[in-house]
mmCIF file with all atom_site columns, all heavy atoms in Angstrom:
data_model
loop_
_atom_site.group_PDB
_atom_site.id
_atom_site.type_symbol
_atom_site.label_atom_id
_atom_site.label_alt_id
_atom_site.label_comp_id
_atom_site.label_asym_id
_atom_site.label_entity_id
_atom_site.label_seq_id
_atom_site.pdbx_PDB_ins_code
_atom_site.Cartn_x
_atom_site.Cartn_y
_atom_site.Cartn_z
_atom_site.occupancy
_atom_site.B_iso_or_equiv
_atom_site.pdbx_formal_charge
_atom_site.auth_seq_id
_atom_site.auth_comp_id
_atom_site.auth_asym_id
_atom_site.auth_atom_id
_atom_site.pdbx_PDB_model_num
ATOM   1   N N   . TRP A 1 37  ? 6.703  -8.418 -1.781  1.00 98.00 ? 37  TRP A N   1
ATOM   2   C CA  . TRP A 1 37  ? 7.823  -7.789 -1.064  1.00 98.00 ? 37  TRP A CA  1
ATOM   3   C C   . TRP A 1 37  ? 9.019  -8.714 -0.906  1.00 98.00 ? 37  TRP A C   1
ATOM   4   O O   . TRP A 1 37  ? 8.850  -9.906 -0.625  1.00 98.00 ? 37  TRP A O   1
ATOM   5   C CB  . TRP A 1 37  ? 7.367  -7.358 0.337   1.00 98.00 ? 37  TRP A CB  1
ATOM   6   C CG  . TRP A 1 37  ? 5.958  -6.891 0.402   1.00 98.00 ? 37  TRP A CG  1
ATOM   7   C CD1 . TRP A 1 37  ? 4.957  -7.433 1.150   1.00 98.00 ? 37  TRP A CD1 1
ATOM   8   C CD2 . TRP A 1 37  ? 5.361  -5.798 -0.319  1.00 98.00 ? 37  TRP A CD2 1
ATOM   9   N NE1 . TRP A 1 37  ? 3.782  -6.748 0.945   1.00 98.00 ? 37  TRP A NE1 1
ATOM   10  C CE2 . TRP A 1 37  ? 3.999  -5.738 0.036   1.00 98.00 ? 37  TRP A CE2 1
ATOM   11  C CE3 . TRP A 1 37  ? 5.860  -4.866 -1.231  1.00 98.00 ? 37  TRP A CE3 1
ATOM   12  C CZ2 . TRP A 1 37  ? 3.126  -4.784 -0.479  1.00 98.00 ? 37  TRP A CZ2 1
ATOM   13  C CZ3 . TRP A 1 37  ? 4.993  -3.927 -1.751  1.00 98.00 ? 37  TRP A CZ3 1
ATOM   14  C CH2 . TRP A 1 37  ? 3.660  -3.883 -1.370  1.00 98.00 ? 37  TRP A CH2 1
ATOM   15  N N   . ALA A 1 94  ? 0.190  -4.036 -3.141  1.00 98.00 ? 94  ALA A N   1
ATOM   16  C CA  . ALA A 1 94  ? -0.261 -2.643 -3.254  1.00 98.00 ? 94  ALA A CA  1
ATOM   17  C C   . ALA A 1 94  ? -1.265 -2.564 -4.399  1.00 98.00 ? 94  ALA A C   1
ATOM   18  O O   . ALA A 1 94  ? -0.905 -2.795 -5.559  1.00 98.00 ? 94  ALA A O   1
ATOM   19  C CB  . ALA A 1 94  ? 0.937  -1.732 -3.524  1.00 98.00 ? 94  ALA A CB  1
ATOM   20  N N   . TYR A 1 96  ? -2.383 -0.306 -6.202  1.00 98.00 ? 96  TYR A N   1
ATOM   21  C CA  . TYR A 1 96  ? -2.073 0.528  -7.379  1.00 98.00 ? 96  TYR A CA  1
ATOM   22  C C   . TYR A 1 96  ? -1.121 -0.136 -8.361  1.00 98.00 ? 96  TYR A C   1
ATOM   23  O O   . TYR A 1 96  ? -0.878 0.411  -9.437  1.00 98.00 ? 96  TYR A O   1
ATOM   24  C CB  . TYR A 1 96  ? -1.614 1.926  -6.994  1.00 98.00 ? 96  TYR A CB  1
ATOM   25  C CG  . TYR A 1 96  ? -0.259 2.091  -6.330  1.00 98.00 ? 96  TYR A CG  1
ATOM   26  C CD1 . TYR A 1 96  ? 0.229  3.376  -6.046  1.00 98.00 ? 96  TYR A CD1 1
ATOM   27  C CD2 . TYR A 1 96  ? 0.548  1.017  -5.989  1.00 98.00 ? 96  TYR A CD2 1
ATOM   28  C CE1 . TYR A 1 96  ? 1.450  3.578  -5.446  1.00 98.00 ? 96  TYR A CE1 1
ATOM   29  C CE2 . TYR A 1 96  ? 1.776  1.198  -5.381  1.00 98.00 ? 96  TYR A CE2 1
ATOM   30  C CZ  . TYR A 1 96  ? 2.219  2.477  -5.109  1.00 98.00 ? 96  TYR A CZ  1
ATOM   31  O OH  . TYR A 1 96  ? 3.428  2.670  -4.504  1.00 98.00 ? 96  TYR A OH  1
ATOM   32  N N   . TYR A 1 97  ? -0.579 -1.312 -8.012  1.00 98.00 ? 97  TYR A N   1
ATOM   33  C CA  . TYR A 1 97  ? 0.220  -2.041 -9.008  1.00 98.00 ? 97  TYR A CA  1
ATOM   34  C C   . TYR A 1 97  ? -0.685 -2.516 -10.154 1.00 98.00 ? 97  TYR A C   1
ATOM   35  O O   . TYR A 1 97  ? -0.187 -2.930 -11.196 1.00 98.00 ? 97  TYR A O   1
ATOM   36  C CB  . TYR A 1 97  ? 0.905  -3.271 -8.403  1.00 98.00 ? 97  TYR A CB  1
ATOM   37  C CG  . TYR A 1 97  ? 2.025  -2.964 -7.413  1.00 98.00 ? 97  TYR A CG  1
ATOM   38  C CD1 . TYR A 1 97  ? 2.361  -3.870 -6.406  1.00 98.00 ? 97  TYR A CD1 1
ATOM   39  C CD2 . TYR A 1 97  ? 2.765  -1.784 -7.489  1.00 98.00 ? 97  TYR A CD2 1
ATOM   40  C CE1 . TYR A 1 97  ? 3.382  -3.614 -5.508  1.00 98.00 ? 97  TYR A CE1 1
ATOM   41  C CE2 . TYR A 1 97  ? 3.778  -1.515 -6.585  1.00 98.00 ? 97  TYR A CE2 1
ATOM   42  C CZ  . TYR A 1 97  ? 4.083  -2.435 -5.590  1.00 98.00 ? 97  TYR A CZ  1
ATOM   43  O OH  . TYR A 1 97  ? 5.102  -2.174 -4.701  1.00 98.00 ? 97  TYR A OH  1
ATOM   44  N N   . GLN A 1 153 ? 5.176  9.017  2.279   1.00 98.00 ? 153 GLN A N   1
ATOM   45  C CA  . GLN A 1 153 ? 6.406  8.518  1.664   1.00 98.00 ? 153 GLN A CA  1
ATOM   46  C C   . GLN A 1 153 ? 7.339  9.682  1.323   1.00 98.00 ? 153 GLN A C   1
ATOM   47  O O   . GLN A 1 153 ? 7.031  10.838 1.616   1.00 98.00 ? 153 GLN A O   1
ATOM   48  C CB  . GLN A 1 153 ? 6.050  7.719  0.407   1.00 98.00 ? 153 GLN A CB  1
ATOM   49  C CG  . GLN A 1 153 ? 5.200  6.489  0.717   1.00 98.00 ? 153 GLN A CG  1
ATOM   50  C CD  . GLN A 1 153 ? 5.369  5.374  -0.288  1.00 98.00 ? 153 GLN A CD  1
ATOM   51  O OE1 . GLN A 1 153 ? 6.147  5.456  -1.237  1.00 98.00 ? 153 GLN A OE1 1
ATOM   52  N NE2 . GLN A 1 153 ? 4.633  4.281  -0.076  1.00 98.00 ? 153 GLN A NE2 1
ATOM   53  N N   . ARG A 1 174 ? 12.164 4.703  -11.621 1.00 98.00 ? 174 ARG A N   1
ATOM   54  C CA  . ARG A 1 174 ? 11.169 3.724  -11.152 1.00 98.00 ? 174 ARG A CA  1
ATOM   55  C C   . ARG A 1 174 ? 10.112 4.491  -10.378 1.00 98.00 ? 174 ARG A C   1
ATOM   56  O O   . ARG A 1 174 ? 10.441 5.232  -9.433  1.00 98.00 ? 174 ARG A O   1
ATOM   57  C CB  . ARG A 1 174 ? 11.849 2.687  -10.248 1.00 98.00 ? 174 ARG A CB  1
ATOM   58  C CG  . ARG A 1 174 ? 10.952 1.550  -9.801  1.00 98.00 ? 174 ARG A CG  1
ATOM   59  C CD  . ARG A 1 174 ? 10.290 1.828  -8.459  1.00 98.00 ? 174 ARG A CD  1
ATOM   60  N NE  . ARG A 1 174 ? 9.330  0.766  -8.148  1.00 98.00 ? 174 ARG A NE  1
ATOM   61  C CZ  . ARG A 1 174 ? 8.433  0.835  -7.182  1.00 98.00 ? 174 ARG A CZ  1
ATOM   62  N NH1 . ARG A 1 174 ? 8.370  1.881  -6.410  1.00 98.00 ? 174 ARG A NH1 1
ATOM   63  N NH2 . ARG A 1 174 ? 7.595  -0.150 -6.971  1.00 98.00 ? 174 ARG A NH2 1
ATOM   64  N N   . PRO A 1 176 ? 5.755  3.908  -9.293  1.00 97.00 ? 176 PRO A N   1
ATOM   65  C CA  . PRO A 1 176 ? 4.526  3.131  -9.489  1.00 97.00 ? 176 PRO A CA  1
ATOM   66  C C   . PRO A 1 176 ? 3.262  3.991  -9.529  1.00 97.00 ? 176 PRO A C   1
ATOM   67  O O   . PRO A 1 176 ? 3.296  5.188  -9.226  1.00 97.00 ? 176 PRO A O   1
ATOM   68  C CB  . PRO A 1 176 ? 4.499  2.267  -8.228  1.00 97.00 ? 176 PRO A CB  1
ATOM   69  C CG  . PRO A 1 176 ? 5.097  3.161  -7.191  1.00 97.00 ? 176 PRO A CG  1
ATOM   70  C CD  . PRO A 1 176 ? 6.120  4.027  -7.886  1.00 97.00 ? 176 PRO A CD  1
ATOM   71  N N   . GLU A 1 211 ? 11.854 5.814  -6.855  1.00 98.00 ? 211 GLU A N   1
ATOM   72  C CA  . GLU A 1 211 ? 11.012 6.066  -5.690  1.00 98.00 ? 211 GLU A CA  1
ATOM   73  C C   . GLU A 1 211 ? 10.663 4.710  -5.111  1.00 98.00 ? 211 GLU A C   1
ATOM   74  O O   . GLU A 1 211 ? 10.267 3.805  -5.852  1.00 98.00 ? 211 GLU A O   1
ATOM   75  C CB  . GLU A 1 211 ? 9.744  6.810  -6.147  1.00 98.00 ? 211 GLU A CB  1
ATOM   76  C CG  . GLU A 1 211 ? 8.845  7.296  -5.026  1.00 98.00 ? 211 GLU A CG  1
ATOM   77  C CD  . GLU A 1 211 ? 7.875  6.245  -4.513  1.00 98.00 ? 211 GLU A CD  1
ATOM   78  O OE1 . GLU A 1 211 ? 7.796  5.128  -5.073  1.00 98.00 ? 211 GLU A OE1 1
ATOM   79  O OE2 . GLU A 1 211 ? 7.202  6.511  -3.518  1.00 98.00 ? 211 GLU A OE2 1
ATOM   80  N N   . TRP A 1 212 ? 10.854 4.522  -3.806  1.00 98.00 ? 212 TRP A N   1
ATOM   81  C CA  . TRP A 1 212 ? 10.346 3.301  -3.172  1.00 98.00 ? 212 TRP A CA  1
ATOM   82  C C   . TRP A 1 212 ? 9.371  3.713  -2.083  1.00 98.00 ? 212 TRP A C   1
ATOM   83  O O   . TRP A 1 212 ? 8.255  4.069  -2.394  1.00 98.00 ? 212 TRP A O   1
ATOM   84  C CB  . TRP A 1 212 ? 11.483 2.372  -2.705  1.00 98.00 ? 212 TRP A CB  1
ATOM   85  C CG  . TRP A 1 212 ? 10.964 1.135  -2.028  1.00 98.00 ? 212 TRP A CG  1
ATOM   86  C CD1 . TRP A 1 212 ? 11.155 0.783  -0.729  1.00 98.00 ? 212 TRP A CD1 1
ATOM   87  C CD2 . TRP A 1 212 ? 10.104 0.134  -2.595  1.00 98.00 ? 212 TRP A CD2 1
ATOM   88  N NE1 . TRP A 1 212 ? 10.457 -0.375 -0.453  1.00 98.00 ? 212 TRP A NE1 1
ATOM   89  C CE2 . TRP A 1 212 ? 9.809  -0.791 -1.573  1.00 98.00 ? 212 TRP A CE2 1
ATOM   90  C CE3 . TRP A 1 212 ? 9.538  -0.066 -3.852  1.00 98.00 ? 212 TRP A CE3 1
ATOM   91  C CZ2 . TRP A 1 212 ? 8.986  -1.899 -1.770  1.00 98.00 ? 212 TRP A CZ2 1
ATOM   92  C CZ3 . TRP A 1 212 ? 8.714  -1.183 -4.055  1.00 98.00 ? 212 TRP A CZ3 1
ATOM   93  C CH2 . TRP A 1 212 ? 8.453  -2.074 -3.025  1.00 98.00 ? 212 TRP A CH2 1
ATOM   94  N N   . VAL A 1 213 ? 9.771  3.749  -0.823  1.00 98.00 ? 213 VAL A N   1
ATOM   95  C CA  . VAL A 1 213 ? 8.792  4.069  0.225   1.00 98.00 ? 213 VAL A CA  1
ATOM   96  C C   . VAL A 1 213 ? 9.245  5.279  1.030   1.00 98.00 ? 213 VAL A C   1
ATOM   97  O O   . VAL A 1 213 ? 8.755  6.392  0.859   1.00 98.00 ? 213 VAL A O   1
ATOM   98  C CB  . VAL A 1 213 ? 8.518  2.839  1.117   1.00 98.00 ? 213 VAL A CB  1
ATOM   99  C CG1 . VAL A 1 213 ? 7.694  3.229  2.335   1.00 98.00 ? 213 VAL A CG1 1
ATOM   100 C CG2 . VAL A 1 213 ? 7.759  1.757  0.327   1.00 98.00 ? 213 VAL A CG2 1
ATOM   101 N N   . GLU A 1 237 ? 2.407  10.090 -3.010  1.00 98.00 ? 237 GLU A N   1
ATOM   102 C CA  . GLU A 1 237 ? 1.910  9.147  -2.015  1.00 98.00 ? 237 GLU A CA  1
ATOM   103 C C   . GLU A 1 237 ? 1.961  9.776  -0.629  1.00 98.00 ? 237 GLU A C   1
ATOM   104 O O   . GLU A 1 237 ? 2.836  9.470  0.169   1.00 98.00 ? 237 GLU A O   1
ATOM   105 C CB  . GLU A 1 237 ? 2.726  7.843  -2.072  1.00 98.00 ? 237 GLU A CB  1
ATOM   106 C CG  . GLU A 1 237 ? 2.679  7.245  -3.467  1.00 98.00 ? 237 GLU A CG  1
ATOM   107 C CD  . GLU A 1 237 ? 3.399  5.921  -3.597  1.00 98.00 ? 237 GLU A CD  1
ATOM   108 O OE1 . GLU A 1 237 ? 3.204  5.058  -2.725  1.00 98.00 ? 237 GLU A OE1 1
ATOM   109 O OE2 . GLU A 1 237 ? 4.152  5.750  -4.573  1.00 98.00 ? 237 GLU A OE2 1
ATOM   110 N N   . ALA A 1 240 ? 0.194  5.497  1.597   1.00 98.00 ? 240 ALA A N   1
ATOM   111 C CA  . ALA A 1 240 ? 0.014  4.409  0.620   1.00 98.00 ? 240 ALA A CA  1
ATOM   112 C C   . ALA A 1 240 ? -0.552 3.196  1.337   1.00 98.00 ? 240 ALA A C   1
ATOM   113 O O   . ALA A 1 240 ? 0.118  2.591  2.182   1.00 98.00 ? 240 ALA A O   1
ATOM   114 C CB  . ALA A 1 240 ? 1.333  4.064  -0.053  1.00 98.00 ? 240 ALA A CB  1
ATOM   115 N N   . LEU A 1 242 ? -1.967 -0.600 1.597   1.00 98.00 ? 242 LEU A N   1
ATOM   116 C CA  . LEU A 1 242 ? -1.734 -1.916 0.987   1.00 98.00 ? 242 LEU A CA  1
ATOM   117 C C   . LEU A 1 242 ? -2.941 -2.786 1.282   1.00 98.00 ? 242 LEU A C   1
ATOM   118 O O   . LEU A 1 242 ? -3.826 -2.379 2.055   1.00 98.00 ? 242 LEU A O   1
ATOM   119 C CB  . LEU A 1 242 ? -0.446 -2.513 1.538   1.00 98.00 ? 242 LEU A CB  1
ATOM   120 C CG  . LEU A 1 242 ? 0.703  -1.500 1.448   1.00 98.00 ? 242 LEU A CG  1
ATOM   121 C CD1 . LEU A 1 242 ? 1.908  -1.972 2.216   1.00 98.00 ? 242 LEU A CD1 1
ATOM   122 C CD2 . LEU A 1 242 ? 1.071  -1.223 0.001   1.00 98.00 ? 242 LEU A CD2 1
HETATM 123 C C1  . LIG B 2 .   ? 5.963  1.186  -3.983  1.00 60.39 ? 1   LIG B C1  1
HETATM 124 O O1  . LIG B 2 .   ? 5.879  0.183  -4.706  1.00 60.39 ? 1   LIG B O1  1
HETATM 125 O O2  . LIG B 2 .   ? 6.583  2.200  -4.354  1.00 60.39 ? 1   LIG B O2  1
HETATM 126 C C2  . LIG B 2 .   ? 5.345  1.233  -2.671  1.00 60.39 ? 1   LIG B C2  1
HETATM 127 O O3  . LIG B 2 .   ? 5.267  2.284  -2.105  1.00 60.39 ? 1   LIG B O3  1
HETATM 128 C C3  . LIG B 2 .   ? 4.862  0.020  -2.068  1.00 60.39 ? 1   LIG B C3  1
#
Side-chain angles (χ1 to χ4, degrees):
W37 325 120
Y96 70 176
Y97 291 154
Q153 298 207 2
R174 185 267 174 192
E211 187 276 355
W212 179 244
V213 170
E237 303 183 46
L242 310 169

